[in-house]
Amino acid sequence: MSSTTTGERAGQQHLAHVVFIAGAAAVGGFLFGYDSSNINGAVLGIQRHFEVGDGVTGLTVSSALIGSAVGAWFGGLLSDRIGRIRTMQLAAVLFLVSALGAMFPFSVWDLAIWRVVGGIAIGVASVIGPAYIAEVAPPAYRGRLASLQQLAIVLGIGVSALVNWVIKALAPVGADGTHDLNGNLGGIEPWQWMLGAAAVPAVIYFVLASIIPESPHFLLANGKIERARKVLREVEGGDVDTKIEDIRRSLKTEKRSRVRDLVGGRFGLLPIVWVGIALAVFQQFVGINVIFYYSDTLWHSVGQNTDSLLISMVSPVINIIGTFIAIAFIDKVGRKPLLLIGSVGMLVGLGVAAIAFGNAQTVGGELSLPGAWGPIALVFANLFVISFAMSWGVILWVMLGEMFPLRIRGAALAVGTAANWVANWAVTVSFPSMADWNLSITYWIYAAFALLSIPFALRFVRETKGTAIEDVS
């Protein structure tokens, strides 16, 4: 057997091992997607069970976003102190506690508290996943491996929709002929099963986090050289000693990052930190988390039944397809070109959707899109979704994990991710009143942010394709 063949086989083994490790870490992203969306199917049951209105329900649902910002803020800092693996395990425990607590709440207020706990876990997972994957992944594959985080998120959203649909289908049929979310299903109400189902992937996440290795960067930072050498041999192979020296050289000028280490520059923070914050905010301000608020209207306009499994899975499937496109091209085309392509696609999709909603009519108290405007809005809304999924949806998490110098990485990642959750909350809270005021203009506002993201990416985003993270300055 030739040495070339042996080397290729060894390289394949290293790659297979690092794909497993990255995939295990990305299960936190799966829970991120699952836990942030599974309450959607339970909302009506919660309202009826606790006899609360839209205002209290909205506060309960959005409380997870508050927890997410808190978890994101402290997640990166915590991982620098107790390690990446222990931080993942902590997130898994918080996911489990949140799922079980939300499954058996005494009131809507303690349900909100359990949602906050789950939000903290989401925030921690959204920070630690990209950071860990960036540290264990070889530079040539890092973009694709880091993309697993976003793929896991959209898979979590899709599986959540599927699980909720199955539970609803098993629910007893009420007097009106529909499945009753407040009926008796195994001794509790169906909406409780929807919230409690997140306990299963939480346990899986804890188990997987317990069998993957600690980050070699964290190990070297804490003087555990032999363990770091073993991990690097498993995930990369080759000249491990040179890799260790490169990491140790970068660590010599590094101290555990704190938020005050980010202070500097003309506007209070280091320029690279502002770029990270802007990336995080743009990702939310294009309106991705509210584009489907009117998905029922779009489907009704083309004569489809929104209660079917097929329809409920359309959006997650489009997200997944877009994410696979990003995985295929992110290390070939690069981060920056994909951002620009995605921004143009989002601008077109949102702009046409805004024009379509500008032609909407109110019929019987419901919004209706006359003539061809329904199918047009549907097609271009989905163009927006796939454009987002193949670009900003993936690349934000990839770049937050690799764009910051090691000396500020933990703190900068925490700030950037927290900014993403604050922006998420702002869009979610503001959308209902903005839509009541003028839905078309609301979508034009989102389109304006898609337009602004183009010069931002051209001017401020630095390409990181193929760059070792210890070489980022």
Side-chain angles (χ1 to χ4, degrees):
M1 183 181 294
S2 69
S3 60
T4 301
T5 303
T6 303
E8 288 177 352
R9 181 173 296 176
Q12 291 172 353
Q13 290 174 343
H14 291 308
L15 181 58
H17 185 59
V18 79
V19 167
F20 170 77
I21 292 172
V27 175
F30 180 91
L31 275 157
F32 171 171
Y34 191 101
D35 198 71
S36 61
S37 64
N38 72 334
I39 198 170
N40 293 337
V43 166
L44 185 58
I46 292 169
Q47 284 184 309
R48 291 174 178 172
H49 182 86
F50 294 112
E51 298 180 346
V52 294
D54 292 338
V56 174
T57 304
L59 181 62
T60 303
V61 172
S62 64
S63 60
L65 298 178
I66 300 171
S68 298
V70 173
W73 182 267
F74 290 105
L77 304 177
L78 185 65
S79 70
D80 281 343
R81 284 158 176 77
I82 68 173
R84 290 23 168 180
I85 298 302
R86 288 185 180 176
T87 303
M88 290 184 206
Q89 292 171 331
L90 174 62
V93 170
L94 291 176
F95 275 124
L96 178 62
V97 170
S98 170
L100 296 178
M103 190 177 185
F104 300 104
F106 297 105
S107 69
V108 72
W109 301 114
D110 74 287
L111 174 59
I113 292 174
W114 296 122
R115 291 287 297 163
V116 171
V117 172
I120 293 172
I122 291 172
V124 172
S126 67
V127 169
I128 191 60
Y132 176 84
I133 293 172
E135 290 177 347
V136 300
Y141 300 102
R142 192 175 62 235
R144 277 168 281 184
L145 292 173
S147 299
L148 292 176
Q149 172 83 356
Q150 179 65 13
L151 177 61
I153 292 171
V154 297
L155 284 173
I157 294 171
V159 171
S160 174
L162 178 60
V163 170
N164 283 358
W165 180 85
V166 171
I167 292 172
K168 185 177 180 181
L170 294 173
V173 178
D176 60 355
T178 63
H179 292 281
D180 185 7
L181 292 179
N182 299 103
N184 188 308
L185 181 62
I188 60 176
E189 298 179 10
W191 66 267
Q192 293 176 268
W193 286 111
M194 291 179 179
L195 298 183
V200 176
V203 172
I204 294 173
Y205 185 35
F206 185 89
V207 172
L208 289 174
S210 301
I211 62 176
I212 59 177
E214 181 56 86
S215 158
H217 292 74
F218 178 79
L219 292 173
L220 287 173
N222 288 271
K224 300 177 181 179
I225 301 173
E226 289 308 313
R227 283 183 61 189
R229 179 177 281 110
K230 181 175 183 293
V231 173
L232 287 168
R233 191 178 297 118
E234 291 174 350
V235 300
E236 287 196 51
D239 190 351
V240 172
D241 289 332
T242 299
K243 181 69 174 178
I244 288 176
E245 286 306 312
D246 288 342
I247 297 173
R248 292 179 72 178
R249 189 163 49 249
S250 70
L251 291 172
K252 285 180 181 179
T253 58
E254 178 189 357
K255 61 181 184 297
R256 282 177 174 166
S257 56
R258 295 166 291 185
V259 173
R260 64 185 175 195
D261 296 328
L262 310 181
V263 176
R266 294 172 55 192
F267 301 103
L269 296 175
L270 297 174
I272 191 64
V273 179
W274 281 119
V275 173
I277 291 172
L279 273 170
V281 171
F282 270 120
Q283 194 216 40
Q284 291 298 321
F285 276 13
V286 294
I288 186 62
N289 285 324
V290 299
I291 187 69
F292 296 118
Y293 276 30
Y294 275 81
S295 60
D296 283 358
T297 299
L298 298 179
W299 286 111
H300 278 305
S301 69
V302 292
Q304 298 292 330
N305 176 11
T306 58
D307 194 41
S308 71
L309 174 62
L310 174 64
I311 299 307
S312 66
M313 293 299 295
V314 165
S315 300
V317 167
I318 291 173
N319 263 303
I320 292 168
I321 292 171
T323 304
F324 274 118
I325 293 172
I327 291 173
F329 290 102
I330 191 168
D331 283 322
K332 297 177 182 178
V333 175
R335 285 66 161 151
K336 191 168 181 174
L338 279 183
L339 283 178
L340 294 169
I341 293 169
S343 292
V344 172
M346 291 190 301
L347 174 61
V348 173
L350 286 166
V352 176
I355 294 171
F357 278 116
N359 288 273
Q361 300 173 354
T362 302
V363 179
E366 294 186 359
L367 203 65
S368 176
L369 297 171
W373 285 117
I376 289 172
L378 184 61
V379 168
F380 281 89
N382 287 330
L383 171 64
F384 163 70
V385 173
I386 198 167
S387 298
F388 175 88
M390 64 176 279
S391 59
W392 289 80
V394 168
I395 292 172
L396 170 71
W397 303 112
V398 173
M399 294 206 69
L400 285 183
E402 66 184 14
M403 67 184 288
F404 301 115
L406 282 171
R407 67 182 182 277
I408 63 167
R409 199 145 165 279
L413 182 55
V415 169
T417 309
N420 182 260
W421 285 109
V422 172
N424 185 335
W425 176 83
V427 171
T428 302
V429 168
S430 64
F431 178 76
S433 57
M434 290 176 64
D436 287 341
W437 164 61
N438 192 307
L439 184 60
S440 178
I441 292 179
T442 299
Y443 277 85
W444 276 122
I445 291 172
Y446 299 146
F449 280 106
L451 176 62
L452 290 172
S453 70
I454 297 173
F456 165 76
L458 283 170
R459 173 67 177 84
F460 296 106
V461 174
R462 293 171 56 188
E463 182 59 67
T464 51
K465 180 183 71 171
T467 304
I469 59 172
E470 56 269 15
D471 294 334
V472 174
S473 59

